Amino acid sequence: MAFNFLLRGVSMKLKVCPLQSLTKGHLLKCSSVASNNQFHHTFAFQLPLYPQKRTPEQNILCVTPPQPHIMMQNAKQLSLSAKQMAQHDHTKLWTAEKAVSASLLGIVPAAFLVPSQFMDYLLAITIVMHNHWGIEAVVLDYVRPSIFGNVIPKIALGTVYALSIATLAGLFFFITNDVGIVHAIKQFWKL
Amino acid sequence: AQKDSEDFDTKNARLGRPQSPHLTIYRPQLTTILSLTHRATGMALGGIVTVWGIGGLFTSGHFSENLAAVESMHLSPALLLAVKATLAFPLCYHYINGIRHLAWDMGKFLTIKEVYLTGYSVLAVSVILTAFLASL
């Protein structure tokens, strides 16, 4: 699949290689990885940063290494199937998940050392979010269409959402109308 | 290869390919056992939180009474210690191994040696922390 992307790129416009213009059309022979033919072909499908007229010299497949954001797009095109490319990427979600996990490292001890109703609410929110993403990952890993068909995975995922919402509501209700999470645990521990 | 609208599993099922054995043949190692335990403790903690939350929708306002009822049962200290340790271990293990996971996400401790070193450390710290919390 990746090869098709490579082939596709050959017909697109190419940026002039500075090496080429310096040597007036002759390709420099160089032992570095950058001048390796395969490496050059990999970036053949970048769009140029400015419009250019094509001369016969410019048709030689010699392009400069791409900038980081172009490399990311290329890597994404190579690593994702056509179906996956239709969906947006989840990098921001991943970062959010890790941020919540890291914050829990601080919030859990702090809620016990400096208890307050605010800390209880904060604890409830972060725990439910963290738990939701975790259980969602488990369900997506194991309740797969190839085993369960097309309907059950969707129901399972909907159930995860419903349970998380209900859990958050219940915990908020408990914090507001009862002794609170941290106080309850401390009282239970005194048994 | 260009027509990738088909799922991996669907495609291989269509081609009638058998799947290689995995869980039944692979030797259990520290890596897999710790990873499994991380998921299992996560699910256990999640179960507790979910039951507490949804239960709270029905029983809010009665926690102190219910706790007093349990107190009047005068359960043996040994049983109470066992219950506390059983509740504390999932939290401790998941918390400490969670730090290890976040370190991996930052690109640290990714060699096999470091994975095993941090793995044994996580086990040791979790057990010690559990013992400490259960004794409170």
Side-chain angles (χ1 to χ4, degrees):
Chain A
M1 190 231 15
F3 189 57
N4 285 326
F5 279 110
L6 298 179
L7 288 179
R8 235 201 254 167
V10 171
S11 61
M12 290 162 89
K13 286 193 206 142
L14 302 168
K15 192 171 169 179
V16 175
C17 171
L19 285 176
Q20 188 190 340
S21 41
L22 272 178
T23 58
K24 294 185 175 94
H26 301 283
L27 276 177
L28 275 179
K29 284 218 164 136
C30 166
S31 59
S32 79
V33 172
S35 70
N36 178 294
N37 244 356
Q38 281 185 332
F39 191 76
H40 273 121
H41 286 151
T42 310
F43 302 103
F45 59 95
Q46 290 168 61
L47 291 173
L49 298 178
Y50 46 87
Q52 302 167 72
K53 272 192 210 154
R54 290 178 78 178
T55 67
E57 288 84 5
Q58 282 173 319
N59 282 332
I60 299 172
L61 283 174
C62 173
V63 294
T64 54
Q67 292 159 33
H69 68 277
I70 306 271
M71 279 177 84
M72 273 299 289
Q73 283 169 23
N74 295 349
K76 243 196 256 175
Q77 283 174 323
L78 289 173
S79 64
L80 294 176
S81 67
K83 181 180 173 191
Q84 282 174 308
M85 275 180 68
Q87 304 159 4
H88 52 271
D89 84 305
H90 283 155
T91 50
K92 288 207 172 72
L93 191 67
W94 185 91
T95 313
E97 290 179 11
K98 301 307 158 188
V100 168
S101 305
S103 73
L104 270 170
L105 290 181
I107 291 177
V108 168
F112 283 88
L113 295 171
V114 192
S116 75
Q117 208 177 43
F118 170 76
M119 284 307 289
D120 263 13
Y121 283 121
L122 190 61
L123 192 66
I125 293 172
T126 43
I127 283 187
V128 171
M129 282 173 82
H130 184 72
N131 181 239
H132 173 78
W133 282 322
I135 302 295
E136 185 187 22
V138 172
V139 164
L140 287 175
D141 275 352
Y142 300 142
V143 187
R144 286 171 279 149
S146 56
I147 312 173
F148 289 95
N150 282 326
V151 179
I152 291 180
K154 290 190 165 61
I155 296 177
L157 200 60
T159 311
V160 172
Y161 273 88
L163 283 175
S164 295
I165 294 169
T167 305
L168 187 64
L171 285 177
F172 268 37
F173 198 61
F174 188 82
I175 296 168
T176 320
N177 298 316
D178 212 322
V179 297
I181 299 175
V182 166
H183 193 253
I185 295 176
K186 286 187 174 177
Q187 290 301 110
F188 175 82
W189 225 251
K190 287 200 177 113
L191 277 177
Chain B
Q2 189 58 40
K3 228 179 55 146
D4 259 333
S5 53
E6 202 178 13
D7 185 45
F8 173 85
D9 290 322
T10 326
K11 175 174 176 176
N12 285 294
R14 177 174 59 81
L15 291 168
R17 291 171 176 167
Q19 196 183 54
S20 306
H22 40 86
L23 287 175
T24 46
I25 56 149
Y26 219 98
R27 176 197 285 265
Q29 294 167 307
L30 189 72
T31 47
T32 52
I33 298 298
L34 291 187
S35 178
L36 181 74
T37 314
H38 192 74
R39 184 161 262 196
T41 51
M43 293 186 353
L45 290 166
I48 294 173
V49 165
T50 305
V51 167
W52 191 343
I54 295 184
L57 286 171
F58 305 106
T59 68
S60 278
H62 303 295
F63 180 79
S64 300
E65 308 161 20
N66 295 338
L67 194 64
V70 176
E71 170 111 34
S72 67
M73 283 157 63
H74 294 299
L75 301 162
S76 79
L79 177 64
L80 285 170
L81 187 67
V83 168
K84 286 188 202 173
T86 312
L87 288 172
F89 179 73
L91 181 65
C92 294
Y93 176 86
H94 195 83
Y95 186 98
I96 304 293
N97 200 222
I99 301 174
R100 185 161 164 253
H101 260 90
L102 289 170
W104 287 337
D105 290 329
M106 294 195 293
K108 295 191 165 86
F109 308 128
L110 287 168
T111 65
I112 279 294
K113 259 202 172 134
E114 288 166 328
V115 165
Y116 270 77
L117 186 67
T118 51
Y120 285 121
S121 311
V122 160
L123 270 179
V125 172
S126 313
V127 170
I128 295 170
L129 190 59
T130 302
F132 169 69
L133 287 179
S135 69
L136 287 176

